Amino acid sequence: MPSGSDSITKWKGSRDAWLDAAFGLLLESGVDSVRILPLAKRLDVSRTSFYWFFKDREALLDALIERWREKNTQGLVRQTEAYAETIVEAILNVFDCWLDPELFDSQLEFAMRSWALQSEEVAREIDNADETRIEALTRMFKRYGYEPLAANVRGRTIYLTQIGYISMKTQEALEVRMRRIPAYVEIFTGQPPQARELQRFQARHGYAAEAVS
């Protein structure tokens, strides 16, 4: 038999459940669709239960922004700071973001940038995120001995290339992306990746390159 607290949770949902549902609507239909009644219907809970967790719709939207900030901006920053013996390994740590939505959610990034076209506040958040991410990439290059200007240009190039992928909604098969990774690494760092570095990266993403006969 469910406990009293379980029954209450089912009746009003949970904060994370409301946020998850809001993210779902944001990704599917944009920010205008993120409304309390459609969310309540999606969760099969009372509309009034929303107010257990959020003061109003604006508070929910603020929570969405905070979750995006933590997931995508802080996720990318953490990858730039992850342990790596070489700049190539460091770049491959960053590339993990483009292949693992648990580290960086490209669909969410697209939705947020679309929202920014309608909101000056969100546009400022995007500007701040871009600056923070590029600064993190710049610091990463500087740690491996690149001069400040070169570090910044390389960091900007990596970042703006990926934002271009996201904004254009470019889709690539994993095999195609993996074939291009070595060239991207060499272009961005000036150094060709070693076979063992690529193998470790590929293994993290469940990819096994075909042996060349």
Side-chain angles (χ1 to χ4, degrees), residues 14-27 39 42-43 60 64 67:
S14 68
R15 190 176 190 277
D16 283 343
W18 282 96
L19 274 173
D20 290 342
F23 265 116
L25 285 178
L26 178 66
L27 294 176
L39 289 171
R42 175 170 287 210
L43 292 171
L60 173 65
L64 286 178
R67 185 185 273 194

Side-chain angles (χ1 to χ4, degrees), residues 34-150:
V34 182
R35 304 281 174 179
I36 298 169
L37 184 56
L39 289 171
K41 289 181 177 178
R42 175 170 287 210
L43 292 171
D44 192 23
V45 296
S46 164
R47 179 180 185 276
T48 57
S49 65
F50 172 87
Y51 298 100
W52 284 76
F53 307 105
F54 302 99
K55 178 182 177 181
D56 50 27
R57 178 175 179 266
E58 289 303 312
L60 173 65
L61 296 181
D62 287 344
L64 286 178
I65 293 171
E66 177 57 35
R67 185 185 273 194
W68 159 76
R69 190 186 296 125
E70 167 58 28
K71 185 177 185 65
N72 282 10
T73 298
Q74 294 308 313
L76 176 57
V77 170
R78 283 190 290 268
Q79 287 303 106
T80 68
E81 297 171 346
Y83 174 77
E85 293 184 359
T86 66
I87 184 59
V88 168
E89 287 189 344
I91 289 296
L92 292 173
N93 286 340
V94 172
F95 284 3
D96 286 339
C97 291
W98 317 147
L99 296 173
D100 185 352
E102 292 301 313
L103 296 175
F104 186 100
D105 190 327
S106 294
Q107 286 187 304
L108 173 58
E109 189 72 17
F110 181 87
M112 291 296 298
R113 289 176 181 275
S114 297
W115 181 4
L117 298 175
Q118 305 170 247
S119 166
E120 290 186 4
E121 178 185 355
V122 177
R124 287 193 295 271
E125 290 284 349
I126 293 290
D127 288 344
N128 290 337
D130 289 342
E131 183 177 353
T132 297
R133 297 167 186 180
I134 290 172
E135 284 178 354
L137 288 162
T138 299
R139 289 195 302 272
M140 180 185 71
F141 276 103
K142 289 169 68 175
R143 287 200 305 274
Y144 292 91
Y146 291 78
E147 294 297 324
L149 179 58

